Every structure is written in structure tokens, then in C-alpha cells.
Amino acid sequence: MTDSESLWAAEVFGHADLGDLRRTDRLREVAAAAARTPGGLVTEVMQTSATKEGAFRLLENSKVDPTKIAEAMAISTAHACREFARVHVALDQSAINVTDRHNLRGLGKVGDSRRTRGLQVMTALVLDAEGMPLGIGAMRWFSRPDAPTGWGEHDTRPVEDRESALWLDAIDDVARVFSEHAPDTKPWFQIDRGGDFWRVFDVVREHGFDVTVRASHDRVVDGKMRRSRLSKALKRSAVLGRMTLSRPKLGRIVLEVRARRVTMLMGDEGRPRRAFDLWVVQVREVAKPKDRERIMWKLLTTRPATTLADAVEVVRGYTMRWRVEEFHRTWKGGHCQLERSQLRSAGALMRWATILAAVATRVERLKQMSRTQGELSALHEFSQEEIDAAIFLSQTKKWKLGDVPTLHQVVDLIAQVGGYTGKSSGGPPGSKTIGRGMERIAPAAAMAAHLRRTSG
């Protein structure tokens, strides 16, 4: 009998073309082990000296291209998207920080500290219409040089050598894998202010996708009679109505909504600007909060927003971007603890990070599923042995071994094993308690599976 982690690893990484089938098999073994016992240190994840040695051989092998591991992950994600006409792609950049006191790992600059080095990574997290993580659609890596290279229009390097190329490359990667493996599914990119530059709109337009970007510049708008600034154009727009958002710790937020069609003039400094026909949706928090800044977003989008319902759809689509921030927390410092890694090279770190990215997405998906599709049978995501282990280790009296509770109920039991205390924890189970619980039930589930096999 195969456990759920092994089945998951085969599904996610079974498409990996690493030049040797033995490497692909090893990748699946390492990924399954990471899903059972996630951690930043390989020695904590792999349980025997033989599996530890095998994992290090895979991760430190220069013939194993990290982009091939990411591509396999992206293909499995595209397959999961085939049933949807549209998916959201939350695209965001983050820094992976690791301790490297003597600069021996070939990593780049990530801050002002000489002890901390790392890599920049662009991740495309794919979500369904309700914000359910479906997988990673692309990962792109970049190492910042120590010497300053300029910024924005003052950066004299070719576009493909700049850090901003991460956005464009990731979009191209998603386009390629979807065209090959999910051609009837259309991605809608959700991007924060870091991606507000004209080439993003240009490449998305070229692929025929939709995009929403939170504006960071008060751009020039080409009007019928004369040019003006975006902020002035919005002031002349009528209020369409109001909408509400709910966020953890912030509660219910009421927003005033405006929208209008604009022609944006964008381009590199010193060159003719290009015209982009877009819609801008502005939301402004009605009540001024006492302990934080008022929410005020200007969202540039290719999606028409002629009505309040259209504008609300754009805003809610943009909020899907929050999911990639939750993913980063789980991946880097939460359940997966990537930034504790002590691997010796940038290539090894990228390979390990990519595997752990899939694990972090799995945990985030399970968390969201338990909240939004909790009435599903627990067998949808878990083996009977894992369900029995959760029942046994949580010491619940509601179910007995062999029962099949709902997905929400089993996730709740798993979180209890991981330290979740119910209502006193301040909300539903989070990634940390779910992840810890999954780690703790894994040995018991493996033992139950072994006993079932040997007892006939």
C-alpha cells in the first residue's frame, strides 16, 4: 500500500525529465519524505543514512537542472487546472535568506548584513476562483550582484539581465505550460506594485491573458482633449457603490469603489511611450482606522469594469494575491523552514527549495480545503491509515479506528495533534499546526499500513 505522500510526490514530480529515470525516482522519494517530515535541514527530513546520502547526491548533482524540477511541478499544476475555464495566478517575488558568513555558497546580496546571503525567487502560485491553491505554475531564480547596477531607467543592463526580467520570464513560463497542457484554461495574473511596469502589460497582452496590477505610479492618461494624471482622471469618475472584504485580524472592511476606462501611456524613459487600453478600479476604505493606514488601491486591469459587479470581481481577484504571501510564510520560515538550510551551493539550495515549495503548497491547499470544502470525505486527501493515526493520536472519543470523518474533521484532528487548541487558538487551524500534525501522524500511519500488509 502506498501512502498519500508517495502518491502526491509521484503526481507532482512524475513528469520530471532529469536525464536519468533513477534521478526522477530519487526526486520522488525525497519529495515524499519532505512531505512527511518537512524541514530546512536535509538531515532532519531523511530518516536513514542511506536516504540522507541519496538526497545529498541528488541535490548537489550539477546535472540535475532546478528548472526541470520546477517544470515538472508546473505541468502537474496545469493538469489540475484543466477543469477550469479561468484560474488566478498570484505572481510575487521574495528573497530566500540564509546564513553565509564567509560567502562560500555562491549566493547573492539580499540585504545590508554581510552574514546573510541568498537568492531572489519569482513564484507563480495558481489558484481556483475561490482561492484554493492548485500548484506552482512557474519559479524563476536570480542572484543579486554585490556591485550596484542602477535602478529603473538608470539600469543600463539589457532587459533580460535585469531582476525585473523575473516577472516577464515567469509569465512566459506559465503561458508555455498552459498552452501545452491546459490550452482551454485562461490564467488571470494578480500582481502587486513591484510588477507595475509597462513590459508586464505588454507580455500579458501578447499572450492574450488577463492581468491586474496594483498601481505604484501616478501615470499619464491620454484623454480626448488633453493628457492628465491617473489620480485626476479617477476624481472625475463616479462612485459605483460599496463592497466589503473580510481579513483575519482586520475583520469586515467596507470599501468605496470607482472604475473607469483609461488609455495609459507607458514605456522606457527617453523612448516613445506605448498606449495601453486598460480599466482602473479604485477602492478606498470608508472608515478611517485608528491603528493602521487606510486601504486605498488603484488596480490597473485588462478586465472590463463597467458595473459594480465587474469592479468587485477585479478587487476580489486581486485579493487572491494574499495567498502567495501565506505560501511564502509556510515555505520560508513556517512549516518547511527553508531558510534554515545549510546546503553548500546555490544550485543545491534551488533544488531543495523547489521541492519544499511543492510541500508548502500542499499544506496551504489542505488548509484552504478544510475551510471551504470541509464536507468532502477525508479519503479525498488521506489514506485510511492516516485517518486512523489522527483518530488515535488525538485521543478523540468521537470516532473509532476505521471510521471516515469529513475532511474538515480529520484536518481538525491532525491540527490538534500538532498543538491546535480549538477556539482558544483564535480561529481555524493554520499551516503550522496542520503541518506539525501531519509530521507527527506519519510514523503511526506508516506502522498501521505495515501491520495491515503483514497481517494479510
Side-chain angles (χ1 to χ4, degrees):
M1 181 176 294
T2 305
D3 60 31
S4 64
E5 288 86 2
S6 295
L7 291 172
W8 166 83
E11 180 181 350
V12 174
F13 294 108
H15 301 278
D17 181 9
L18 304 182
D20 189 319
L21 290 177
R22 291 171 295 181
R23 294 174 189 156
T24 302
D25 290 341
R26 180 59 53 80
L27 170 63
R28 290 160 59 177
E29 292 171 4
V30 172
R36 294 186 198 103
T37 312
L41 301 178
V42 177
T43 52
E44 293 179 351
V45 172
M46 312 308 293
Q47 299 301 305
T48 68
S49 57
T51 57
K52 290 173 185 176
E53 181 180 355
F56 281 121
R57 284 184 178 179
L58 176 76
L59 297 174
E60 294 174 353
N61 189 343
S62 60
K63 294 182 180 179
V64 176
D65 187 347
T67 62
K68 294 294 186 181
I69 301 176
E71 184 176 19
M73 189 165 53
I75 290 172
S76 71
T77 298
H79 288 172
C81 294
R82 287 173 174 172
E83 62 181 286
F84 304 105
R86 182 183 301 277
V87 292
H88 296 285
V89 181
L91 194 60
D92 197 24
Q93 181 175 343
S94 186
I96 307 300
N97 300 272
V98 295
T99 301
D100 188 12
R101 291 182 176 87
H102 304 293
N103 192 16
L104 299 176
R105 302 193 197 183
L107 304 174
K109 184 177 180 181
V110 294
D112 296 330
S113 173
R114 294 182 179 179
R115 297 175 56 186
T116 303
R117 308 285 290 179
L119 296 167
Q120 300 293 321
V121 60
M122 184 68 66
T123 305
L125 180 66
V126 183
L127 310 140
D128 70 12
E130 303 303 319
M132 181 72 65
L134 299 172
I136 302 293
M139 293 191 80
R140 282 283 181 158
W141 297 89
F142 183 86
S143 180
R144 282 180 177 169
D146 290 325
T149 57
W151 184 261
E153 64 269 19
H154 302 295
D155 192 337
T156 58
R157 293 173 297 169
V159 173
E160 60 272 16
D161 293 338
R162 301 182 196 177
E163 193 169 320
S164 58
L166 292 175
W167 299 94
L168 313 179
D169 292 339
I171 292 170
D172 283 338
D173 289 346
V174 171
R176 177 178 50 80
V177 76
F178 269 74
S179 67
E180 295 177 7
H181 300 281
D184 297 326
T185 304
K186 188 173 182 180
W188 182 357
F189 289 90
Q190 309 294 339
I191 299 176
D192 203 9
R193 289 176 290 185
D196 181 16
F197 61 103
W198 74 270
R199 293 183 187 276
V200 165
F201 295 96
D202 195 43
V203 72
V204 170
R205 182 169 63 178
E206 179 182 330
H207 290 300
F209 297 154
D210 282 318
V211 64
T212 299
V213 180
R214 184 180 170 190
S216 63
H217 310 293
D218 193 12
R219 295 191 179 278
V220 175
V221 177
D222 193 9
K224 291 182 179 180
M225 302 296 295
R226 58 193 178 103
R227 295 178 179 179
S228 63
R229 291 288 176 177
L230 179 61
S231 57
K232 290 185 178 181
L234 282 169
K235 287 180 180 179
R236 296 193 293 267
S237 302
V239 175
L240 293 178
R242 292 184 175 184
M243 64 174 292
T244 60
L245 287 178
S246 295
R247 288 211 66 183
K249 300 181 181 180
L250 297 182
R252 183 172 174 269
I253 303 168
V254 180
L255 302 171
E256 182 181 79
V257 183
R258 299 171 186 262
R260 70 172 295 165
R261 188 173 184 175
V262 294
T263 298
M264 308 293 297
L265 298 177
M266 295 184 280
D268 290 330
E269 195 72 26
R271 296 184 180 180
R273 295 181 180 269
R274 303 188 183 192
F276 292 85
D277 291 326
L278 301 170
W279 287 81
V280 57
V281 176
Q282 177 181 280
V283 290
R284 179 177 180 272
E285 192 170 358
V286 173
K288 187 176 181 180
K290 297 179 181 179
D291 54 351
R292 58 176 175 80
E293 291 185 5
R294 173 183 276 169
I295 291 177
M296 170 95 117
W297 300 337
K298 295 184 182 73
L299 306 178
L300 303 176
T301 184
T302 55
R303 295 282 293 172
T306 58
T307 67
L308 177 61
D310 294 337
V312 168
E313 182 187 23
V314 170
V315 176
R316 295 200 182 280
Y318 175 74
T319 64
M320 299 297 177
R321 205 198 61 78
W322 295 335
R323 294 281 187 262
V324 76
E325 295 178 355
E326 296 170 2
F327 158 79
H328 282 148
R329 286 194 291 270
T330 299
W331 181 37
K332 293 163 52 175
H335 181 50
C336 294
Q337 302 180 61
L338 169 62
E339 293 186 329
R340 290 183 61 218
S341 173
Q342 296 179 5
L343 290 166
R344 299 176 182 176
S345 69
L349 179 60
M350 284 188 278
R351 297 178 192 100
W352 185 230
T354 305
I355 295 170
L356 290 183
V359 174
T361 306
R362 181 174 184 254
V363 173
E364 288 299 309
R365 173 176 171 79
L366 189 59
K367 178 181 75 176
Q368 294 300 326
M369 283 192 72
S370 70
R371 296 178 183 181
T372 62
Q373 302 178 26
E375 296 308 311
L376 289 172
S377 166
L379 290 172
H380 191 276
E381 294 291 320
F382 299 104
S383 67
Q384 186 63 56
E385 289 80 12
E386 290 167 321
I387 296 171
D388 288 345
I391 291 172
F392 177 75
L393 292 177
S394 66
Q395 302 182 33
T396 181
K397 299 186 184 302
K398 292 183 179 180
W399 297 283
K400 62 182 185 298
L401 300 184
D403 286 347
V404 182
T406 66
L407 178 63
H408 168 75
Q409 290 164 339
V410 169
V411 170
D412 194 74
L413 294 178
I414 291 172
Q416 289 178 36
V417 176
Y420 176 63
T421 58
K423 293 182 179 179
S424 62
S425 293
S431 303
K432 286 187 178 180
T433 54
I434 293 173
R436 277 200 303 262
M438 291 173 65
E439 180 180 343
R440 291 171 184 174
I441 71 168
M447 179 61 72
H450 173 74
L451 293 175
R452 182 167 293 183
R453 287 195 301 271
T454 56
S455 64

